[in-house]
């Protein structure tokens, strides 16, 4: 496994790499969710690359860029075990050198849900993914359904700017009690970790209601809110039942609807979703 920190060095490695090449972009502090993308990439491609970069431009000024968990040594061990060929781990100055002044704005799909609550977030995501795709030039790029809106934003970006990588979305990997794996889960204390079970519980409730014949999206959102609010440590950012393509809020839930939640537990903000 080759660990590469600069764009120039990656270009050289690219020239020598067997194709097709698959890339899984990450912010590190890797867990089984990330490794599921790597596994899928390993099955599909002759060369597997993983990027590790905590991207400052996708964090708001009051968000957790500084507190975002990092452990490069452990990450590299896991990637080596998973059979990764190339790790691209640039520092912030390599990705955003002095004078950097070009950003990518994806349109309406990036304005809703996470975009509405985290202004500038998807501008940062789209910019860094655009850069990663032009540096790494993968044939396929792997993302997790856990960040469902991010997947839609990247598909739009890749199509609109002809970035040339096939975007492959992999299922959400969960803990035994249903909590979606996330690097941020490590920041939950024991009470918050227990409380965070309510995320998946609320999504399961929506699924149960939907398949019991309740299609009124307001009712689904109301019952989900009620479930989450029963948990005193949970502070809701949003509860959404939206069209799976446009992310517009629905009046009547119809398959495939994206049911998603963003909830704060203390200082930790978690998101999760299911598709009906
Ligand atoms: P992150 O390091 O949080 O930016 O995530 C990197 C990639 O891993 C993104 O495409 C995420 O959607 C994906 N990912 C994160 N958590 C999970 C999970 N629990 N299951 C599947 N994919 C995940």
């Amino acid at each position: 496994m080759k660990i590469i920190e600069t764009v120039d060095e990656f270009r050289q490695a690219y020239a020598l790499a067997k194709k097709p090449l698959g890339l899984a972009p990450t912010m590190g502090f890797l867990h089984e969710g990330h490794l599921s993308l790597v596994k899928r990439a390993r099955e599909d491609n002759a060369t597997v690359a993983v990027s590790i970069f905590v991207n400052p431009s996708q964090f708001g000024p009051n968000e957790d860029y500084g507190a975002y968990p990092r452990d490069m040594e452990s990450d590299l061990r896991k990637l080596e075990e998973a059979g990764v060929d190339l790790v691209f781990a640039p520092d912030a100055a390599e990705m955003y050198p002095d004078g950097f002044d070009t950003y990518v704005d994806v349109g309406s799909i990036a304005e809703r849900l996470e975009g509405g609550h985290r202004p500038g977030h998807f501008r940062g995501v789209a910019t860094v993914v655009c850069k990663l795709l032009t540096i790494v030039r993968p044939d396929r790029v792997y993302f997790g359904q856990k960040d469902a809106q991010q997947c839609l934003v990247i598909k739009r970006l890749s199509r609109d700017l002809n970035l040339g990588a096939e975007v492959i979305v992999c299922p959400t990997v969960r803990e035994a009690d249903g909590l979606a794996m996330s690097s941020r889960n490590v920041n939950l204390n024991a009470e918050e970790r227990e409380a965070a079970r309510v995320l998946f519980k609320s999504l399961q409730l929506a699924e149960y209601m939907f398949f019991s014949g309740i299609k009124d999206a307001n009712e689904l959102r109301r019952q989900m809110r009620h479930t989450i609010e029963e948990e005193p440590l949970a502070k809701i950012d949003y509860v959404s039942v939206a069209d799976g393509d446009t992310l517009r809020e629905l009046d009547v839930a119809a398959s495939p609807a994206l049911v998603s939640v963003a909830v704060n537990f203390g200082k930790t903000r978690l998101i999760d979703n299911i598709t009906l």
Side-chain angles (χ1 to χ4, degrees):
M1 184 171 84
K2 203 165 159 48
I3 299 151
I4 299 170
E5 293 177 351
T6 67
V7 174
D8 284 347
E9 212 191 323
F10 199 93
R11 291 254 152 85
Q12 291 165 26
Y14 176 86
L16 300 173
K18 289 206 183 90
K19 314 295 180 314
L21 190 157
L23 168 69
T26 81
M27 298 205 298
F29 210 73
L30 303 176
H31 50 67
E32 289 298 324
H34 299 112
L35 296 177
S36 73
L37 310 186
V38 172
K39 187 159 177 262
R40 174 72 197 276
R42 188 69 283 171
E43 285 163 12
D44 295 349
N45 301 282
T47 298
V48 175
V50 171
S51 60
I52 299 178
F53 181 62
V54 184
N55 173 35
S57 76
Q58 72 188 66
F59 288 80
N62 300 318
E63 294 184 358
D64 58 349
Y65 176 67
Y68 197 85
R70 292 160 169 91
D71 189 344
M72 188 58 86
E73 211 175 296
S74 153
D75 288 350
L76 294 177
R77 218 176 310 120
K78 289 172 185 171
L79 295 179
E80 177 99 59
E81 259 171 45
V84 168
D85 303 296
L86 303 172
V87 177
F88 182 52
D91 65 13
E94 180 70 10
M95 292 297 272
Y96 299 105
D98 275 351
F100 182 92
D101 204 15
T102 303
Y103 291 87
V104 182
D105 272 308
V106 176
S108 61
I109 198 88
E111 284 160 11
R112 309 179 205 287
L113 302 177
E114 287 298 285
H117 285 78
R118 303 182 65 187
H121 171 65
F122 283 121
R123 185 184 205 228
V125 169
T127 301
V128 81
V129 171
C130 188
K131 283 174 67 76
L132 288 170
L133 293 183
T134 47
I135 296 163
V136 176
R137 285 189 278 165
D139 299 283
R140 303 187 183 94
V141 62
Y142 296 82
F143 288 92
Q145 177 65 22
K146 152 92 179 3
D147 298 279
Q149 186 177 14
Q150 175 168 275
C151 293
L152 293 173
V153 168
I154 302 302
K155 282 183 176 170
R156 182 84 271 154
L157 165 76
S158 180
R159 252 180 256 152
D160 288 354
L161 298 188
N162 308 102
L163 294 178
E166 182 188 354
V167 178
I168 295 176
V169 178
C170 302
T172 302
V173 178
R174 298 179 179 283
E175 301 285 358
D177 66 358
L179 180 68
M181 289 193 183
S182 163
S183 306
R184 288 188 169 98
N185 291 351
V186 72
N187 292 334
L188 300 167
N189 66 30
E191 291 76 33
E192 290 162 352
R193 171 64 186 81
E194 186 63 21
R197 299 171 68 161
V198 77
L199 284 180
F200 190 53
K201 195 172 152 198
S202 72
L203 296 172
Q204 282 184 306
L205 173 71
E207 187 173 56
Y208 175 78
M209 288 174 69
F210 181 76
F211 288 109
S212 306
I214 299 167
K215 311 283 158 151
D216 177 348
N218 275 328
E219 187 57 19
L220 296 176
R221 286 184 286 259
R222 195 161 36 237
Q223 293 299 335
M224 289 174 71
R225 276 188 173 271
H226 182 71
T227 297
I228 298 169
E229 281 163 357
E230 275 177 344
E231 176 47 67
L233 294 179
K235 302 276 170 290
I236 297 176
D237 249 9
Y238 62 78
V239 169
S240 163
V241 179
D243 181 278
D245 296 321
T246 65
L247 300 186
R248 275 182 222 283
E249 289 301 318
L250 294 169
D251 294 326
V252 179
S255 195
L258 180 73
V259 181
S260 61
V261 290
V263 179
N264 296 286
F265 299 88
K267 290 195 173 111
T268 307
R269 183 177 183 278
L270 300 180
I271 59 172
D272 199 355
N273 70 82
I274 54 165
T275 299
L276 294 179

